[in-house]
Amino acid sequence: AVLIPLVALIVREAPGSRSAPQGGAHARSAAGFLRERNFWAITVCFGLGFAVMLSLGNAYPAYGTETRGITGQHVSLLLGASAIVGIAANLGFGWLADRFARVPLIWAALLPLALCAGALALTPPVGWLLPLALAIGIAQGLTALWTASIGDRFEPAVFGSVMGAMGFCMLPLTMSGIQLPIVVFARSGRFEQAFAVFAGLTVVA
């Protein structure tokens, strides 16, 4: 409810968005976007970023309570703060995406994610867990940048098809990422090795 006035203030429909190509344009594009390099480049870039972002958020409760000695209530506060920042980050990056070049913004969203994963791999003091959770929240702006990047490279008539296909192709990355900390913890009783892998994956993204 607090964010509704902010959304109403900054969110605007793009000029000409209601005049999307139809008919033949849709048919030509629908048959070919899976063969385009841009489709797979965007899928891998954002798929790796989403995998790390979702997996860190999923691992935070067990990491905090099992290896750092913090309470479940403390963990819930960390995740809540991350979610609030994430909403603001999506609005903010979406607003910036309408005004600035896309690639620097993608780097700006991925950088805090890489720093967060790298810091967690080094077992930071417990006091760092809140700012690191906020960094994960900033990275949630990747969602707005993902949709904007699809709009840059694919015509409106196939936007939904491209987004749906990309989401499906990202599933192996996101599901593997969520499982990795669980497997590492089961074998070693720690999470740091998984976090180091996540830092590397963010660099690749």
Side-chain angles (χ1 to χ4, degrees):
V2 171
L3 287 167
I4 286 174
L6 181 61
V7 174
L9 179 66
I10 70 172
V11 175
R12 294 289 183 270
E13 187 173 26
S17 61
R18 294 188 182 277
S19 58
Q22 299 295 330
H26 179 280
R28 287 192 299 270
S29 299
F33 67 77
L34 287 173
R35 296 191 295 271
E36 292 191 26
R37 176 183 177 276
N38 283 320
F39 177 89
W40 295 105
I42 294 172
T43 297
V44 172
C45 170
F46 287 96
L48 288 174
F50 291 150
V52 173
M53 181 176 67
L54 293 172
S55 300
L56 285 176
N58 189 65
Y60 236 61
Y63 170 68
T65 57
E66 297 292 336
T67 69
R68 304 311 306 271
I70 64 177
T71 65
Q73 183 179 10
H74 189 175
V75 170
S76 70
L77 290 174
L78 296 177
L79 296 179
S82 179
I84 292 171
V85 171
I87 295 170
N90 260 308
L91 289 169
F93 275 106
W95 183 85
L96 291 170
D98 289 336
R99 292 158 177 81
F100 298 99
R102 200 73 69 234
V103 172
L105 293 176
I106 295 171
W107 277 77
L110 285 171
L111 180 60
L113 192 61
L115 294 176
C116 176
L120 289 172
L122 299 175
T123 317
V126 171
W128 285 28
L129 295 184
L130 177 58
L132 293 176
L134 298 181
I136 297 174
I138 294 172
Q140 291 180 44
L142 285 170
T143 303
L145 297 174
W146 173 42
T147 56
S149 298
I150 294 173
D152 287 341
R153 302 300 178 185
F154 299 93
E155 63 188 46
V158 295
F159 181 92
S161 297
V162 171
M163 191 173 185
M166 282 186 182
F168 180 77
C169 293
M170 289 176 183
L171 275 177
L173 299 175
T174 55
M175 297 307 295
S176 298
I178 289 173
Q179 288 297 316
L180 179 61
I182 299 171
V183 172
V184 170
F185 180 74
R187 293 180 177 179
S188 66
R190 306 292 300 176
F191 288 91
E192 282 75 8
Q193 290 179 338
F195 295 150
V197 172
F198 288 155
L201 291 177
T202 310
V203 172
V204 174

